[in-house]
Every structure is written in C-alpha cells, then in structure tokens.
Amino acid sequence: KAVVSTQSTGELFALGLAPSPKLALQVNGSTDADALTKPTVVYTGKSDISQVDGYHSYHGRSSSTCWGSAAANVINGSEGTMFEPLFIYNKSRPVTIYNDQLFRSVQLEFVRESSYKDLPCYVYKIPDWALQNMQNNPTNEAYYAYIYSGLLNITQCAQNVPLYLSKSMFLDADTRLLENITLHVAPNRTLHDTYLCIEPYTGAVIDGHKRVQISVQIEQYPILGVLNQSHPAFVPLISVDEHGSITPHLISELRTKLLIPIFIAHISFYILIALGVFVLLVSFAVHVKSVADKYKVKEDEEVLVHNEAIQAGSATGAESSEHSEKSDLYLSFDGRNSRYYDIDPDS
C-alpha cells in the first residue's frame, strides 16, 4: 500500500514524522501514522558500502524485545536481497540478514560456488549452530533454546503461544522430533533448506529460497478428551517457501554491462602480461647479443694485435738472422785460455 501525504516532504521532515522520502510503503493493516512515524529505514551504502541495504530500523525499531539479551535483540543485517559488493575477493565472510519471520538476525555462511542461469554465484546457508540448543551452543541460551536442536522458540514473540520455528520438515533438527508425528514428505535439502545465491561482483542475490516451518507444541492434557491420549509432540502447522530470482531481462543486462566487460578486462590483463613478458625476453635477447658482439669485437681486436705482434717478431727475427750471417767469427787468445767471440766486424 502506497501512502502519499497531503503535507510536503519538508513539512513532514521538519515535524519529525518522516525521514525524507516523498513516497512510503505502508504495511497492510497499519495506520497512516505508523507509516510516517515507524518507517523501515535501510542504509544506501553511500558513506559505508559494507552497510548497503542493511537495516537502520525495522518498523521504527532498532531492536526487538523477544529475546533474553541485548545482543540477541539487536536488529542488524539486510533483508536478504543485497549485500556488500566484490564477494569474489572474500567469499568466506558470513552475511547477516534480519529475518522477520524468525524475529532475529541470522548469519549465513558460504557453502559452495554455483551458478544460476549460467551466472556464477556463491551459495550461502544458515549454519547448523544457529539453531542448536544451548547444550550444543551456549550462546543460543538467549533464544530460549532449551529443548531440541533445530527449533527456535518464539513463544515470547507470539504472545506466549507455544510456537516454534524450524527448517521445513524439521530438516537438520533433532530426530526425536519425528518420533510422535508422521510426515508425509521426508526432509529433503534441495526442497526444504534456506539458501541465497549471491552474484560475486555486485553482491546482489540472484536466486534464493527462504523456507520456514511453524509448529505448535502439544502436551498431554487429561482434562481434554481429545488430548488425553496424545503424546507430547511438535506438530507442524504451516510451511512457508518464499522464492525470488533475477529476471531474464536483468540477466541479459548483467551479462552485457558487467560480466562481458569484466571478461574482456581479464583477457586484456593477461594479454598485457604476455606482451610485457615478450618485450622483456626480446630486450634480454638484444642485450645478450649486444654483450656477445662487444666481447667478440674485443676478442677480434686482441687476435689482430697478437697477429701483428707475431708478424713483427718474425720480421725482427729474420733481420737478426741476416745480420748474424754477415758477422765473422774471430779467435782471441788472452795468453791462458782460448775463447771464441762473436765480434761485430764494424766494431
């Protein structure tokens, strides 16, 4: 139901009756005053992208009064349609949603990589510890988890009516819950589990199922004939499956405006790396060849000098031999010993 006030937005804002929007969505059954004084406000992510689509207040409240501690009553997380972008760089981080059917905030954990309509996505599910009883998870004492694991006691939230929430068909719950009842459908993870498929670049949910079952606790009451012979049990009343997925038009738009440009950017990145490596290899080869040519020139110069030295030495040797042939051998006698002297005839 859309509510448009006859007063201007500025007047409503000045009176503190509206945060600033010109058009507000009103919950069916509520009054106009509730729509203006108890709005549901979410963050845009402009100042802190990690808070995008997260609740600032839910129906005018930032906390509930159902649970046994202040931390358990805090309303935080998103409604489950949008999260912080760029999950591709940190897919192991949990995501937090506020589930109005559970009356509490719940963390969902990464399970696996998958795809929807050929779009890659990350699948997140409610972990088992979120619905364990206090014996298995002491932090759940604030949620009055005194009985069986797999049940969420919402008695305090339902005006003291003994109602309990669980996954559909008591999936992942204590098997003792099935002892006194007969289910016509066996628990099936594909059909009965809650999950979100998050597109890793935008953080948008492209497919998801929110499945929950409401059960009532039945005790044996001797004063009531119909319940005189009954066994204590948790009897399912209703099972809800809320499903949402991206439209074919948005799938096409997401591919053409996001995934294809990212693919081209990735290919270009690797091509540039390959070109860079190729240029480095060519530069290295040119440098090696230049050094090799330099040493070759130096070696050739040394060989040339060596050959010239050998030629010069040969010429000097030949001249000396010619000169020796021209010299005469003279005998000199000093009176005691006889010696031969190679005497230069010119001296």
Side-chain angles (χ1 to χ4, degrees):
K1 178 181 177 182
V3 177
V4 181
S5 174
T6 56
Q7 293 177 281
S8 68
T9 303
E11 291 172 342
L12 292 173
F13 182 71
L15 293 174
L17 297 179
S20 68
K22 296 180 180 179
L23 181 67
L25 295 178
Q26 180 179 341
V27 178
N28 290 335
S30 62
T31 64
D32 292 353
D34 290 336
L36 296 176
T37 61
K38 300 178 181 179
T40 295
V41 181
V42 298
Y43 292 100
T44 62
K46 181 178 180 180
S47 59
D48 184 359
I49 192 62
S50 65
Q51 292 185 330
V52 62
D53 206 42
Y55 280 113
H56 174 269
S57 61
Y58 182 77
H59 292 175
R61 297 178 289 108
S62 59
S63 64
S64 66
T65 57
C66 293
W67 309 115
S69 71
N73 281 316
V74 172
I75 296 175
N76 57 24
S78 76
E79 63 174 347
T81 58
M82 176 70 71
F83 298 95
E84 179 183 357
L86 299 180
F87 270 77
I88 192 169
Y89 300 115
N90 190 12
K91 62 185 177 184
S92 61
R93 67 184 178 186
V95 298
T96 304
I97 64 170
Y98 176 73
N99 191 321
D100 55 350
Q101 294 173 340
L102 300 180
F103 301 97
R104 59 170 288 191
S105 296
V106 181
Q107 278 192 345
L108 278 69
E109 294 184 345
F110 172 77
V111 177
R112 68 181 185 275
E113 294 185 12
S114 183
S115 63
Y116 178 75
K117 303 293 185 182
D118 295 328
L119 292 178
C121 65
Y122 296 157
V123 178
Y124 289 77
K125 293 184 178 182
I126 298 176
D128 292 340
W129 57 262
L131 296 177
Q132 288 178 339
N133 60 23
M134 58 178 293
Q135 285 73 30
N136 295 321
N137 184 5
T139 59
N140 281 340
E141 181 179 5
Y143 298 107
Y144 314 120
Y146 302 134
I147 310 178
Y148 300 118
S149 290
L151 291 178
L152 179 64
N153 185 354
I154 62 170
T155 301
Q156 296 294 327
C157 307
Q159 300 179 355
N160 292 324
V161 177
L163 297 180
Y164 292 79
L165 296 180
S166 67
K167 295 182 179 181
S168 295
M169 304 300 141
F170 294 117
L171 178 69
D172 295 329
D174 195 315
T175 56
R176 289 176 292 179
L177 291 168
L178 304 177
E179 292 179 354
N180 295 326
I181 63 172
T182 300
L183 294 177
H184 296 284
V185 178
N188 184 301
R189 188 163 304 282
T190 303
L191 299 177
H192 302 139
D193 206 1
T194 294
Y195 71 88
L196 297 178
C197 285
I198 301 177
E199 200 284 316
Y201 289 101
T202 62
V205 175
I206 60 176
D207 182 50
H209 281 269
K210 184 169 65 175
R211 296 167 172 140
V212 64
Q213 177 179 286
I214 303 175
S215 303
V216 63
Q217 185 180 13
I218 300 297
E219 298 286 352
Q220 191 177 44
Y221 293 99
I223 62 175
L224 297 177
V226 68
L227 296 177
N228 188 24
Q229 301 299 323
S230 67
H231 297 281
F234 293 86
V235 180
L237 296 178
I238 187 172
S239 182
V240 180
D241 183 356
E242 295 182 10
H243 173 246
S245 60
I246 189 171
T247 63
H249 171 72
L250 290 178
I251 290 176
S252 176
E253 190 172 358
L254 191 63
R255 282 200 183 103
T256 55
K257 294 185 177 181
L258 178 67
L259 299 183
I260 292 178
I262 288 177
F263 175 77
I264 294 174
H266 284 174
I267 294 298
S268 301
F269 174 74
Y270 290 114
I271 290 176
L272 290 175
I273 289 179
L275 288 175
V277 172
F278 176 74
V279 171
L280 287 175
L281 291 176
V282 170
S283 300
F284 180 75
V286 170
H287 175 70
V288 170
K289 187 176 184 304
S290 175
V291 172
D293 291 344
K294 181 178 179 181
Y295 278 104
K296 184 177 180 181
V297 170
K298 184 177 181 181
E299 183 179 354
D300 292 343
E301 291 178 350
E302 292 177 351
V303 170
L304 180 61
V305 171
H306 180 68
N307 291 338
E308 290 178 350
I310 292 175
Q311 293 176 0
S314 299
T316 305
E319 182 180 353
S320 298
S321 299
E322 182 180 356
H323 181 73
S324 297
E325 289 175 356
K326 292 180 181 181
S327 63
D328 294 325
L329 186 64
Y330 292 90
L331 178 62
S332 175
F333 180 74
D334 60 0
R336 292 176 296 178
N337 297 313
S338 297
R339 296 179 180 175
Y340 290 98
Y341 294 91
D342 186 11
I343 302 173
D344 186 352
D346 297 329
S347 60

